[in-house]
Amino acid sequence: MAPRLPARCWRQLLRPSSTSPTTHTLPRAALPSTTTNASLLPYTQSRTVKSGWSTLPTRGAKPHRFNQVTSGLPTPTTGPAAALKRKERTTPVRAGVLAVKKGMTVFMGRTGARIPCTVLQLDRVQTVLNKTKHKHGYWAVQVGMGERNPGNVTAPLLGYFEAKGIAPKEVLAEFRVRDERGLLPVGVQLMPDWFHVGQRVDVRSNSRGMGFAGGMKRHGFSGQEASHGNSLNHRTIGSAGPSQGSGSRVLPGKKMPGRMGNQRVTIQNLPVLMVDNELGIVVVKGCVAGPKGAVVKIQDACKKPPPSDDFIEKTKKLLEERFPEAEAHLQAARERHLELKQARREKRIEELMVGGMKPGSEDEMDAIEQIIAADAMNEATEHAPAQF
């Protein structure tokens, strides 16, 4: 049986009598003689925000979201801006390039030292898109490499490249940059002199795929004994997990046979040994993951100081000199894309294809004629019989 409460505990529950017809009172024997005409609170109290049991303010229009200021929490200090600020030091200043791994060779130093190196070739690398913090949440440059047959490209991608005034690219990749200073004009071509000899770069590529492999090849297991009771289990991994301490299960992350290779590998801080614009190659010291023909991403090393400001300004000026009409070409491509888009809606694209494209200026027509004549001369030289 519960102990009897003293009189001082009952005084806290007393309140003046109200005009409400439904009031709960206790027997007179349980109260002191001075409180015979007083009434008490109801025995069952409603614990809601209105009754004062919750000290948190009312939630806003989205109560299912966490870490909101309306839930009584302080203003969060994390977010996209804080993430960009935190990664500012490890984000390269400039965009990178795409290249194809051609193979490995050696460089011979002045003292006769044999330096292994990898040859990476750039194939019509152009900028395709700039991503800004205001629109996308971060700064980045989209780069494309090579060319693709338009017949093997989907219609949305064809329209995407048409609006840029660029031929369909074989590979597209994105390079994050630190701020707006790393953005580049759309349509410019990046040459191997985007880097300089002695610079440190990071090279990313997919490693060579080896298919399904066992535990000895994939993880370097030593295997089991050759005799003494072993029956056709020489290269197996053995027990996959204990039965008592871990709960009779296989622990996550257990090294077992499976698919080996074809994983993204980053080789950091590789020095550049050679840059050649005529051959379109960048030679870096050491090895790069992946087979011959693998697509690699080259960018300034994130753990080393960026190139000097003078070199960065020099590369930007070279781009402006090589492609002085990049902005005008992009604007003309956008207008032409809108015209073709409207013609497709009106089903007039066949008329445009029969009539042909609008002729350009005299300089453009002369340049096209020179290109056709040069190609014809090259074909005639190749097919001409050799003279001894």
Side-chain angles (χ1 to χ4, degrees), residues 19 53 69 100 201 208 213 257 277 287 306 313 317 320 339:
T19 57
W53 280 90
V69 182
V100 179
V201 295
R208 184 165 53 92
N277 282 351
C287 59
E313 293 296 331
K317 289 182 180 179
E320 294 177 359
E339 294 177 2

Side-chain angles (χ1 to χ4, degrees), residues 175-327:
F175 295 90
R176 287 205 175 194
V177 294
R178 185 172 300 179
D179 48 26
E180 65 275 6
R181 295 177 300 174
L183 302 182
L184 299 174
V186 176
V188 299
Q189 183 177 358
L190 301 179
M191 305 294 288
D193 58 358
W194 185 250
F195 306 100
H196 64 84
V197 177
Q199 178 186 351
R200 301 283 181 146
V201 295
D202 293 342
V203 181
R204 298 177 178 88
S205 60
N206 284 352
S207 62
R208 184 165 53 92
M210 301 183 184
F212 195 94
M216 294 181 66
K217 180 179 180 180
R218 189 184 185 198
H219 302 292
F221 288 175
S222 60
Q224 299 188 28
E225 297 180 353
S227 61
H228 295 283
N230 194 319
S231 178
L232 302 180
N233 285 307
H234 308 290
R235 297 183 63 88
T236 58
I237 64 173
S239 176
S243 175
Q244 196 169 13
S246 64
S248 300
R249 63 192 180 96
V250 179
L251 295 177
K254 170 62 180 174
K255 294 181 179 180
M256 302 180 71
R259 191 72 63 86
M260 182 179 179
N262 194 22
Q263 296 179 345
R264 176 57 58 92
V265 179
T266 302
I267 310 297
Q268 295 182 334
N269 305 331
L270 294 181
V272 178
L273 300 180
M274 179 180 175
V275 171
D276 193 339
N277 282 351
E278 295 183 1
L279 299 177
I281 61 173
V282 176
V283 181
V284 296
K285 179 183 177 181
C287 59
V288 174
K292 294 181 181 179
V295 178
V296 300
K297 299 170 64 175
I298 314 173
Q299 196 172 10
D300 300 338
C302 62
K303 294 184 179 179
K304 295 292 182 180
S308 61
D309 296 339
D310 297 339
F311 180 75
I312 294 177
E313 293 296 331
K314 177 183 175 181
T315 54
K316 288 185 177 181
K317 289 182 180 179
L318 283 176
L319 288 179
E320 294 177 359
E321 294 175 359
R322 292 171 181 170
F323 307 95
E325 300 179 356
E327 296 294 338

Side-chain angles (χ1 to χ4, degrees), residues 6 30 62 68 96 108 113 129 179 214 223 243 291 336 382-383 385:
K62 298 180 179 179
Q68 297 294 319
M108 303 304 294
L129 178 69
D179 48 26
S243 175
R336 183 62 176 172
E382 291 177 358
H383 295 289

